[in-house]
Amino acid sequence: MKKILIVFGTRPEAIKMAPLVKEFELHPEEFDVRVCVTAQHREMLDQVLTFFDIKPQYDLDLMKPGQDLYGLTAAIITELKPVLENFRPDYVFVHGDTTTTMASSIAGFYSGAKVCHIEAGLRTHNKYAPFPEEINRQITGRLTDYHFAPTNASKENLLRENIDTNNILVTGNTVIDALIQSVEKVKREPSPLVKELDNKLNNASLLLVTGHRRENHGDGFIRICEALKTIAIERKELQIVYPVHLNPKVLEPVNRILGNIENIHLIEPLAYHDFIWMMDRAKIIITDSGGVQEEAPSLGKPVLVMRETTERPEAVDAGTVILVGTNSQKIINETYALLDDDTHFKEMSSRHNPYGDGNACIRIVNFMKELELKKALEK
Ligand code: UD1
Ligand code: UDP
């Protein structure tokens, strides 16, 4: 039996790893699977663990308010050591491009385990955008033995870095597995919280906003908030819902600039099922999130992405996503274009599934089974 340690720490990693944990758990004869959370996030991680009913065997409980990259990176590597020495996994699974991803892949490599990277091969080739995620995923890519790429474009990026094609599998993104497994139930049974919020919206068009990227902290967030304020004031018939990320560098400018505007609802981060419901309810989504860029095309929602560059070109190519950066005027103009030009809105809101068919986790687990079979035959 092969031992697998699945490590994650933030909200998006948890959402995207949850269906993989569940899929591995269907094969207890072949895999002894344990989950280790670094808890780089706390409340936002726990919301996801509760929704998917995942009880980690190891919880490093590392989040500190206002944490910095130095301390967090060091703590993850150090605190993973006893877990790795105790469990001695054959494979360590990491996801995406957070500090948890990068530091856990280093620790996994030090332990002698094979490193398996989910959502491998995304690149902007700009060291500073997104910061520090682009470098996190490049470092993780160097340490990885088996790369699970969401799309052909991400596989191509890995091939250009001379990764052996036999060690790459194109799977689709596991976020679509999570979405498909949750969306119907969420639509059928909206929670009391979203029902109450929806009542306040009074059938108005909804603009849903999220934002947290480090490269937007400071001036970028001020320009984003100024744009939202202008939109709210000039378009009083519109309602804006903004579940604000708990990072103090985000909370401060958002509350200062957007607090007390009648048609802007600043709320706490929504639990995953409530957020899916809100995405489905929204007319337009404005975000700098990676995960939301992947989910929204499946729901047929136009997305304005507050970034200069994206490692997710598929949705831009499909026409559901437009990059607006953090230029206030551009955010305002593109929002008004969607509100005022019905043809443009319809073009951007047709459904696309560039990120997968919901079977990514089955493909990953099958790959691992075949890998073990091949190894057994070679012996
Ligand atoms: C992190 C990731 C980013 C990912 C994002 C998803 C890094 C460097 N950044 O950014 O790649 O896209 O998560 O949301 O890995 N906080 C809480 N409670 C929580 C979560 C965060 O209070 O549940 C606050 C804490 O003060 C914490 C701060 O937010 O110190 C920053 O958290 P951190 O994980 O370092 O950065 P994020 O901006 O969340
Ligand atoms: N999300 C959520 N609640 C919210 C906002 C987002 O559950 O209030 C989910 C969203 O559906 C997506 C993920 O969180 O799956 C994106 O996380 P985030 O934007 O924090 O990180 P990123 O994807 O940019 O790394």
Side-chain angles (χ1 to χ4, degrees):
M1 169 132 48
K2 288 295 158 184
K3 293 199 271 185
I4 290 183
L5 186 69
I6 299 185
V7 187
F8 51 88
T10 65
R11 169 174 68 190
E13 292 165 76
I15 292 168
K16 292 168 168 183
M17 284 297 221
L20 185 64
V21 172
K22 298 286 167 195
E23 188 60 37
F24 268 124
E25 282 175 356
L26 297 176
H27 304 272
E29 301 81 24
E30 283 137 302
F31 302 110
D32 176 5
V33 180
R34 296 194 191 174
V35 172
C36 174
V37 294
T38 63
Q40 173 177 336
H41 283 174
R42 188 72 272 174
E43 303 89 322
M44 288 161 61
L45 171 75
D46 292 343
Q47 282 181 317
V48 184
L49 295 176
T50 305
F51 177 67
F52 286 100
D53 192 24
I54 291 175
K55 295 181 182 64
Q57 282 77 10
Y58 308 97
D59 187 336
L60 306 184
D61 199 20
L62 291 176
M63 194 198 87
K64 292 196 172 60
Q67 63 206 4
D68 67 32
L69 298 174
Y70 307 89
L72 181 62
T73 304
I76 293 168
I77 296 176
T78 313
E79 297 300 314
L80 268 175
K81 181 182 173 204
V83 175
L84 291 161
E85 288 184 347
N86 167 272
F87 181 46
R88 296 162 54 100
D90 300 288
Y91 299 99
V92 171
F93 275 71
V94 297
H95 180 281
D97 53 21
T98 69
T99 296
T100 288
T101 318
M102 182 268 293
S104 307
S105 63
I106 292 175
F109 166 66
Y110 287 167
S111 78
K114 298 284 183 207
V115 177
C116 301
H117 188 199
I118 311 294
E119 201 180 87
L122 277 64
R123 297 287 183 269
T124 60
H125 302 290
N126 177 343
K127 188 172 165 183
Y128 299 106
F131 174 89
E133 289 84 3
E134 175 66 11
I135 289 301
N136 283 346
R137 54 193 172 222
Q138 290 195 24
I139 293 173
T140 303
R142 296 321 307 165
L143 296 164
T144 293
D145 296 281
Y146 301 107
H147 307 253
F148 298 99
T151 65
N152 285 322
S154 39
K155 176 176 180 177
E156 291 298 323
N157 287 334
L158 294 168
L159 292 176
R160 275 192 286 276
E161 292 175 12
N162 296 324
I163 307 282
D164 183 343
T165 186
N166 295 315
N167 295 337
I168 309 173
L169 181 72
V170 176
T171 60
N173 198 306
T174 59
V175 79
I176 305 299
D177 298 30
L179 186 68
I180 288 178
Q181 286 165 28
S182 317
V183 74
E184 287 313 320
K185 182 168 184 284
V186 168
K187 278 194 206 169
R188 256 195 332 269
E189 299 163 26
S191 74
L193 190 142
V194 290
K195 275 198 214 155
E196 194 191 319
L197 199 55
D198 195 35
N199 277 342
K200 283 192 203 157
L201 303 181
N202 210 6
N203 291 326
S205 291
L206 168 65
L207 213 81
L208 180 64
V209 182
T210 79
H212 67 81
R213 300 241 83 85
R214 269 178 164 71
E215 67 274 17
N216 290 344
H217 290 177
D219 291 347
F221 259 97
I222 293 173
R223 289 192 297 272
I224 290 169
C225 292
E226 294 296 350
L228 294 172
K229 187 174 174 179
T230 304
I231 294 169
I233 292 169
E234 291 186 351
R235 301 290 175 112
K236 291 228 165 8
E237 71 284 4
L238 205 66
Q239 296 287 334
I240 300 180
V241 170
Y242 184 167
V244 188
H245 193 288
L246 296 179
N247 193 328
K249 297 224 166 80
V250 177
L251 277 168
E252 190 282 319
V254 171
N255 284 324
R256 176 165 45 84
I257 303 170
L258 299 178
N260 299 321
I261 298 176
E262 209 182 327
N263 53 339
I264 298 189
H265 308 268
L266 301 181
I267 57 174
E268 289 186 356
L270 287 167
Y272 178 59
H273 51 291
D274 289 338
F275 189 72
I276 296 178
W277 195 92
M278 273 295 152
M279 277 198 291
D280 198 51
R281 165 72 177 80
K283 182 170 173 87
I284 302 168
I285 300 174
I286 304 187
T287 187
D288 63 14
S289 161
V292 176
Q293 283 178 70
E294 292 154 346
E295 292 159 337
S298 277
L299 297 172
K301 300 293 167 178
V303 187
L304 302 179
V305 174
M306 299 180 295
R307 296 178 50 180
E308 305 299 337
T309 168
T310 181
E311 60 293 270
R312 294 172 170 87
E314 299 84 358
V316 179
D317 294 343
T320 43
V321 162
I322 293 180
L323 297 184
V324 290
T326 58
N327 178 313
S328 303
Q329 201 51 53
K330 194 150 190 208
I331 297 172
I332 296 168
N333 292 347
E334 292 294 349
T335 304
Y336 290 173
L338 279 166
L339 290 172
D340 300 337
D341 180 347
D342 212 35
T343 313
H344 175 53
F345 177 81
K346 283 198 179 114
E347 272 165 14
M348 273 194 82
S349 48
S350 49
R351 276 172 208 267
H352 291 280
N353 288 322
Y355 296 108
D357 59 2
N359 293 317
C361 296
I362 293 178
R363 294 189 182 98
I364 294 164
V365 172
N366 283 344
F367 179 95
M368 295 310 292
K369 281 191 193 171
E370 281 165 25
L371 189 69
E372 284 309 314
L373 201 64
K374 246 187 273 166
K375 281 191 189 157
L377 290 172
E378 277 164 16
K379 270 188 195 158

